[in-house]
Amino acid sequence: MMTSTVSETPQGAVAGGNATPSVAPSRSTQRDGTPNSSLGTFGVKSGLAQMLKVIPLCLVVHLILLFFRQLGGVIMDVVNSEQARIAEEAGACAVMALERVPADIRAEGGVARMSDPKMIKEIVDAVTVPVMAKCRIGHFVEAQILQAIGVDYIDESEVLTPADEEHHINKHNFKVPFVCGARNLGEALRRISEGAAFIRTKGEAGTGNVVEAVRHERAVNGEIRKASAMSEEELYAYAKEIQAPFHLLKETARLKRLPVVNFAAGGIATPADAALMMQLGCDGGSCLVLATVDTSYELFAVVFVGSGIFKSGNAAKRARAIVQAVTHYNNPKILAEISEDLGDAMVGLTIDDKLTGGRLASRGW
Amino acid sequence: MIDSIFIGVLALQGAFAEHSASLQRLELDRNIDVILVRTPGDLSECDALIIPGGESTTIALLARLAGLLDPLKEFVKSKPVWGTCAGAILLSESIVGAKKGGQELLGGTSVKIARNGWGSQVESFEVPLSLSDVGDTSRPFRGFFIRAPVVLDLSSPSQSGQYPPITIVARIPPSLLPPSLIESNNVVSEDDPRTIVALRQGRHLLTTFHPELTEDNRFHEYFMRNCVLAGGMGKDHKPSTATTATFG
């Protein structure tokens, strides 16, 4: 089940701090004259095995991204380099490049695809923070292209129109780390077994309504708590019930949290929403919650009002407030200060059967 | 009751939880209390500070919004601080590759550093590092370089005398340097500053990689012993000449 990138480096993922360095680590890409380093190895791509001191049931279990340990902040959707700059100025720790923001995809309909590589390159050049980009579910060629142009992370996203209604991308085949959405524990573990390096709640993107993200976070946390009290026999049955690989379920039950970093996304529109997701995540024992923000719909509007308005617009202020909320998520006094006077949030949509653009969260299998 | 020593970990953004866990694993004769620093009030309780990896632009912005920027600048002038990755960038005197419009630094060391020296995420790598000046140098240390910065210069001549001497703790082989940094046909020597990945200047420690992501506590112990508990600035060890560059 492992690809070359993975199987080359069992040591990288399990050795821990007291590595056995006498064996030079292997590398997935060999640069001339540098036999002594590992580039894009499993240890670099995943990590935390060192921190967890786990005896490996399977390497995939240790797919916890080192880099996401560093993020712990706010990722903002952007559709061009101007928006990316605004997001960076607002304190985003990464930007997500996509063709249209979810709210527009909803409103306009049609097939939503990977962004123009030129636009992504412009964004990469414009900002110093990491750049993520979305590809369609199952569209591994879009993923290959995104990896080739040097994005830092790929989101195999239900927000775009799926390219495959049965299969997700085999993410072990890539050097670049992937994030995938999940609504429940079974879905999260299926994505992890395919090589997803971290998991986000799906929420209902482009609605400005946090209810689905809360539902998914609660579902995952609740199922983990349930699994952690089960005997091994019960876990076998539960794995079948939720359609999750047994070894991943067992490891999750032991850790009492997902074996990868978890973050919140979909419909987060206010600082309070962001803090809510942070507190829910911590309550469930996840180490870290990131928030993607639906403010870019507003950012978009602001950008086109005219130059010079970026810094004064409410959207930039709101984005900045959300960044602060993720840091001070458990300090209601500071949350009150930063929530003041942000103007109107993006127009919220009620999530029901009449939702424009349909339920994106139901995509993914 | 034994006096506790209060070590702050700047918890605005980034890998602060891992630093906190590493500190709590240490076995020293002093009790360590870890404070997650998010406000000026938190900072005022700290005897020393660790600035974790993350995005230096985000950390600087959040520090300013939280009213922490000036207290932090004061803190680095008088107390021990360790910066990993983004933290090392913040502790530098000057940087290359700042975001458009520039970004704020805390200063504190004479080092000049380039942000994100290797390029995108797929260029991140791990390498065993041989250490010097650290307690146990017999085994290598697993260095994780994740969109890591590159030390460009240790100090400019005009600063001589302003800063304490620098002790180099770890280097990478010149062959690992990002090609974009190396001028064509130039052979980078073993003691080029760009190969430095860990250094101590007085009571400040800079690492461009992430010791907190391993279970190996040697850097945390080194910071505690040589920066925090060592007291004065002048108590440098006597490392071998091959690994030490002294300025001023």
Side-chain angles (χ1 to χ4, degrees), chain A residues 241-360:
Chain A
E241 184 191 326
I242 65 172
Q243 299 178 43
F246 171 73
H247 63 278
L248 287 175
L249 179 63
K250 189 179 169 189
E251 183 64 8
T252 304
R254 195 186 67 78
L255 292 169
K256 296 190 170 64
R257 57 170 180 72
L258 283 180
V260 301
V261 173
N262 176 25
F263 84 100
I268 295 164
T270 68
D273 287 351
L276 172 71
M277 296 311 297
M278 289 294 288
Q279 290 198 21
L280 277 177
C282 290
D283 181 46
S286 328
C287 325
L288 170 74
V289 181
L290 309 172
T292 46
V293 186
D294 277 344
T295 48
S296 47
Y297 187 61
E298 296 178 322
L299 289 179
F300 196 69
V302 172
V303 170
F304 283 91
V305 172
S307 58
I309 201 163
F310 306 153
K311 284 184 184 113
S312 59
N314 267 342
K317 189 175 169 190
R318 173 175 297 274
R320 184 169 288 200
I322 290 175
V323 169
Q324 287 173 277
V326 170
T327 296
H328 302 286
Y329 67 92
N330 55 6
N331 188 332
K333 240 173 127 179
I334 295 183
L335 289 176
E337 281 167 31
I338 58 184
S339 299
E340 261 180 38
D341 201 19
L342 294 178
D344 294 334
M346 68 180 283
V347 183
L349 299 175
T350 317
I351 299 169
D352 57 20
D353 293 340
K354 283 174 250 157
L355 179 62
T356 319
R359 291 188 182 224
L360 304 180

Side-chain angles (χ1 to χ4, degrees), chain A residues 69-326:
Chain A
R69 311 302 306 160
Q70 297 191 71
L71 284 177
V74 178
I75 301 167
M76 295 185 201
D77 287 346
V78 299
V79 300
N80 59 39
S81 56
E82 278 176 306
Q83 288 186 12
R85 284 285 301 125
I86 295 174
E88 183 179 43
E89 288 299 329
C93 67
V95 293
M96 173 77 77
L98 66 174
E99 186 192 33
R100 288 175 284 166
V101 295
D104 288 343
I105 293 173
R106 253 179 213 297
E108 294 162 14
V111 175
R113 308 181 181 87
M114 173 188 85
S115 312
D116 183 342
K118 179 164 174 264
M119 183 277 279
I120 298 173
K121 280 201 239 162
E122 283 167 7
I123 291 176
V124 170
D125 291 341
V127 296
T128 59
V129 295
V131 176
M132 310 173 79
K134 284 189 195 293
C135 74
R136 285 179 268 177
I137 289 174
H139 205 315
F140 50 86
V141 174
E142 283 188 351
Q144 288 164 2
I145 292 170
L146 291 174
Q147 174 168 283
I149 61 177
V151 302
D152 294 290
Y153 318 90
I154 296 176
D155 184 359
E156 187 184 14
S157 177
E158 71 282 357
V159 170
L160 306 184
T161 312
D164 188 325
E165 296 201 330
E166 273 181 64
H167 310 95
H168 282 250
I169 296 171
N170 179 352
K171 293 165 272 286
H172 291 297
N173 286 344
F174 291 81
K175 270 205 310 182
V176 62
F178 276 76
V179 52
C180 290
R183 286 161 298 175
N184 51 48
L185 183 58
E187 194 173 3
L189 295 180
R190 287 197 294 280
R191 296 295 87 78
I192 294 167
S193 76
E194 294 156 1
F198 75 130
I199 294 293
R200 57 175 169 74
T201 62
K202 282 183 174 170
E204 199 50 77
T207 59
N209 188 340
V210 79
V211 64
E212 289 297 308
V214 170
R215 190 194 315 283
H216 301 157
E217 187 71 30
R218 290 262 189 210
V220 170
N221 290 341
E223 285 163 322
I224 291 173
R225 270 189 292 274
K226 200 169 148 191
S228 65
M230 286 183 180
S231 71
E232 193 149 326
E233 290 81 356
E234 288 168 325
L235 280 178
Y236 280 113
Y238 194 49
K240 194 171 123 192
E241 184 191 326
I242 65 172
Q243 299 178 43
F246 171 73
H247 63 278
L248 287 175
L249 179 63
K250 189 179 169 189
E251 183 64 8
T252 304
R254 195 186 67 78
L255 292 169
K256 296 190 170 64
R257 57 170 180 72
L258 283 180
V260 301
V261 173
N262 176 25
F263 84 100
I268 295 164
T270 68
D273 287 351
L276 172 71
M277 296 311 297
M278 289 294 288
Q279 290 198 21
L280 277 177
C282 290
D283 181 46
S286 328
C287 325
L288 170 74
V289 181
L290 309 172
T292 46
V293 186
D294 277 344
T295 48
S296 47
Y297 187 61
E298 296 178 322
L299 289 179
F300 196 69
V302 172
V303 170
F304 283 91
V305 172
S307 58
I309 201 163
F310 306 153
K311 284 184 184 113
S312 59
N314 267 342
K317 189 175 169 190
R318 173 175 297 274
R320 184 169 288 200
I322 290 175
V323 169
Q324 287 173 277
V326 170

